[in-house]
Protein backbone atom coordinates (compact mmCIF):
# COMPACT_ATOMS: atom_id res chain seq x y z
CA UNK A 1 0.00 0.00 0.00
CA UNK A 2 1.04 3.51 -0.62
CA UNK A 3 1.67 5.86 2.27
CA UNK A 4 -1.17 8.19 1.21
CA UNK A 5 -3.60 5.24 1.12
CA UNK A 6 -2.63 4.26 4.71
CA UNK A 7 -3.01 7.86 5.89
CA UNK A 8 -6.40 8.10 4.19
CA UNK A 9 -7.55 4.80 5.78
CA UNK A 10 -6.39 5.88 9.24
CA UNK A 11 -8.20 9.21 8.81
CA UNK A 12 -11.42 7.38 7.92
CA UNK A 13 -11.08 5.14 10.99
CA UNK A 14 -10.52 8.18 13.21
CA UNK A 15 -13.57 9.96 11.76
CA UNK A 16 -15.66 6.80 12.27
CA UNK A 17 -14.54 6.55 15.92
CA UNK A 18 -15.38 10.21 16.53
CA UNK A 19 -18.82 9.76 14.98
CA UNK A 20 -19.49 6.75 17.21
CA UNK A 21 -18.33 8.68 20.25
CA UNK A 22 -20.59 11.64 19.45
CA UNK A 23 -23.51 9.33 18.66
CA UNK A 24 -23.11 7.61 22.04
CA UNK A 25 -22.94 11.02 23.70
CA UNK A 26 -26.52 11.72 22.56
CA UNK A 27 -27.73 8.91 24.85
CA UNK A 28 -25.62 10.04 27.80
CA UNK A 29 -27.29 11.91 30.60
CA UNK A 30 -26.45 15.61 30.55
CA UNK A 31 -24.02 16.88 33.14
CA UNK A 32 -26.08 18.87 35.63
CA UNK A 33 -25.28 22.53 36.08
CA UNK A 34 -24.44 23.81 39.52
CA UNK A 35 -27.50 25.70 40.67
CA UNK A 36 -27.80 27.44 44.00
CA UNK A 37 -30.97 26.25 45.63
CA UNK A 38 -33.19 28.72 47.40
CA UNK A 39 -32.57 26.92 50.68
CA UNK A 40 -28.79 26.97 50.28
CA UNK A 41 -26.82 28.60 53.08
CA UNK A 42 -23.89 30.96 52.92
CA UNK A 43 -20.96 29.71 54.99
CA UNK A 44 -18.28 32.03 56.33
CA UNK A 45 -15.16 30.19 57.50
CA UNK A 46 -12.55 32.13 59.46
CA UNK A 47 -9.18 30.70 60.51
CA UNK A 48 -6.86 32.48 62.95
CA UNK A 49 -3.30 32.07 64.03
CA UNK A 50 -2.03 34.06 66.94
CA UNK A 51 1.25 35.86 67.45
CA UNK A 52 3.70 33.65 69.38
CA UNK A 53 3.75 36.06 72.33
CA UNK A 54 -0.06 36.00 72.76
CA UNK A 55 -1.00 34.68 76.18
CA UNK A 56 -3.63 32.01 76.73
CA UNK A 57 -5.62 34.63 78.64
CA UNK A 58 -5.75 36.90 75.59
CA UNK A 59 -6.61 33.99 73.29
CA UNK A 60 -9.50 33.18 75.63
CA UNK A 61 -10.70 36.81 75.39
CA UNK A 62 -10.71 36.53 71.58
CA UNK A 63 -12.64 33.23 71.72
CA UNK A 64 -15.23 34.74 74.06
CA UNK A 65 -15.57 37.91 71.98
CA UNK A 66 -16.16 35.94 68.78
CA UNK A 67 -18.59 33.59 70.53
CA UNK A 68 -20.63 36.61 71.68
CA UNK A 69 -21.23 37.84 68.12
CA UNK A 70 -24.24 35.59 67.29
CA UNK A 71 -26.15 37.02 70.27
CA UNK A 72 -25.41 40.55 69.06
CA UNK A 73 -25.84 40.17 65.28
CA UNK A 74 -29.12 38.48 64.31
CA UNK A 75 -28.00 37.88 60.72
CA UNK A 76 -25.73 35.08 62.00
CA UNK A 77 -28.06 32.06 61.85
CA UNK A 78 -25.46 29.42 62.68
CA UNK A 79 -22.21 29.44 64.61
CA UNK A 80 -19.62 26.99 65.79
CA UNK A 81 -15.93 27.05 66.45
CA UNK A 82 -13.12 24.74 67.40
CA UNK A 83 -9.39 24.22 67.72
CA UNK A 84 -7.31 22.49 65.11
CA UNK A 85 -6.55 18.89 65.99
CA UNK A 86 -5.54 17.55 62.59
CA UNK A 87 -2.71 14.99 62.73
CA UNK A 88 -1.55 15.99 59.23
CA UNK A 89 0.45 19.02 60.34
CA UNK A 90 -0.80 21.12 57.40
CA UNK A 91 -2.44 23.93 59.40
CA UNK A 92 0.40 26.41 58.75
CA UNK A 93 0.06 27.75 62.30
CA UNK A 94 -3.71 28.31 62.12
CA UNK A 95 -5.22 27.03 65.34
CA UNK A 96 -8.76 28.40 65.53
CA UNK A 97 -11.65 27.83 63.12
CA UNK A 98 -14.86 29.85 63.37
CA UNK A 99 -17.77 28.80 61.17
CA UNK A 100 -20.67 31.20 60.65
CA UNK A 101 -23.81 30.71 58.59
CA UNK A 102 -25.88 33.36 56.85
CA UNK A 103 -29.09 33.06 54.84
CA UNK A 104 -28.01 35.56 52.20
CA UNK A 105 -25.21 37.72 50.91
CA UNK A 106 -27.21 40.69 52.17
CA UNK A 107 -27.05 39.28 55.71
CA UNK A 108 -23.29 38.86 55.39
CA UNK A 109 -23.07 42.42 54.08
CA UNK A 110 -24.77 43.61 57.28
CA UNK A 111 -22.45 41.49 59.46
CA UNK A 112 -19.12 42.61 57.98
CA UNK A 113 -19.33 46.34 58.87
CA UNK A 114 -21.53 45.75 61.93
CA UNK A 115 -20.30 47.75 64.97
CA UNK A 116 -20.10 44.59 67.11
CA UNK A 117 -18.02 42.84 64.45
CA UNK A 118 -15.75 45.88 64.30
CA UNK A 119 -15.47 45.87 68.12
CA UNK A 120 -14.45 42.22 67.96
CA UNK A 121 -11.71 43.21 65.51
CA UNK A 122 -10.35 45.58 68.12
CA UNK A 123 -10.08 42.72 70.63
CA UNK A 124 -8.48 40.42 68.04
CA UNK A 125 -6.15 42.86 66.28
CA UNK A 126 -3.22 43.08 68.70
CA UNK A 127 -2.95 39.28 68.88
CA UNK A 128 -3.57 38.27 65.28
CA UNK A 129 -0.71 36.48 63.58
CA UNK A 130 -2.71 35.60 60.47
CA UNK A 131 -6.22 35.17 59.15
CA UNK A 132 -7.78 33.16 56.34
CA UNK A 133 -11.39 33.64 55.30
CA UNK A 134 -13.37 31.49 52.86
CA UNK A 135 -17.04 32.05 52.05
CA UNK A 136 -19.10 29.63 49.99
CA UNK A 137 -22.67 28.60 49.23
CA UNK A 138 -23.35 25.15 50.68
CA UNK A 139 -24.31 22.58 48.08
Amino acid sequence: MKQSHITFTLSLVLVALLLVAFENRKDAKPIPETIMQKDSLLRHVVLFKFKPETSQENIKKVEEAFTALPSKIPQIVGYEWGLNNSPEGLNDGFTHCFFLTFKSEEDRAIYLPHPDHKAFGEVLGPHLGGVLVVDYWAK
Side-chain angles (χ1 to χ4, degrees):
M1 272 196 221
K2 292 183 176 180
Q3 182 67 25
S4 62
H5 186 353
I6 293 172
T7 303
F8 178 75
T9 303
L10 287 174
S11 295
L12 283 178
V13 170
L14 179 60
V15 168
L17 287 172
L18 286 172
L19 287 173
V20 169
F22 283 116
E23 185 63 29
N24 287 341
R25 180 70 187 130
K26 288 180 187 175
D27 297 332
K29 293 181 181 177
I31 299 171
E33 291 183 33
T34 301
I35 298 172
M36 292 305 150
Q37 298 178 7
K38 290 183 181 179
D39 62 349
S40 185
L41 296 171
L42 182 60
R43 307 295 191 186
H44 179 71
V45 182
V46 182
L47 303 174
F48 292 144
K49 61 174 135 181
F50 291 95
K51 293 178 180 174
E53 65 274 12
T54 303
S55 70
Q56 288 302 312
E57 179 182 337
N58 284 325
I59 290 174
K60 181 102 173 124
K61 286 179 185 177
V62 170
E63 294 168 351
E64 290 170 352
F66 208 139
T67 299
L69 290 179
S71 67
K72 298 176 179 181
I73 305 173
Q75 288 75 20
I76 300 171
V77 296
Y79 172 80
E80 63 184 76
W81 77 276
L83 298 175
N84 175 56
N85 71 354
S86 173
E88 296 177 287
L90 300 174
N91 62 307
D92 196 27
F94 290 92
T95 56
H96 287 64
C97 179
F98 296 88
F99 188 86
L100 289 76
T101 302
F102 299 96
K103 289 184 181 177
S104 67
E105 291 182 12
E106 292 78 16
D107 286 351
R108 180 187 56 196
I110 292 168
Y111 160 78
L112 291 173
H114 193 282
D116 289 310
H117 183 230
K118 296 292 185 185
F120 163 72
E122 295 297 320
V123 173
L124 170 67
H127 312 294
L128 186 62
V131 63
L132 176 67
V133 177
V134 175
D135 291 0
Y136 66 92
W137 281 101
K139 296 181 184 181

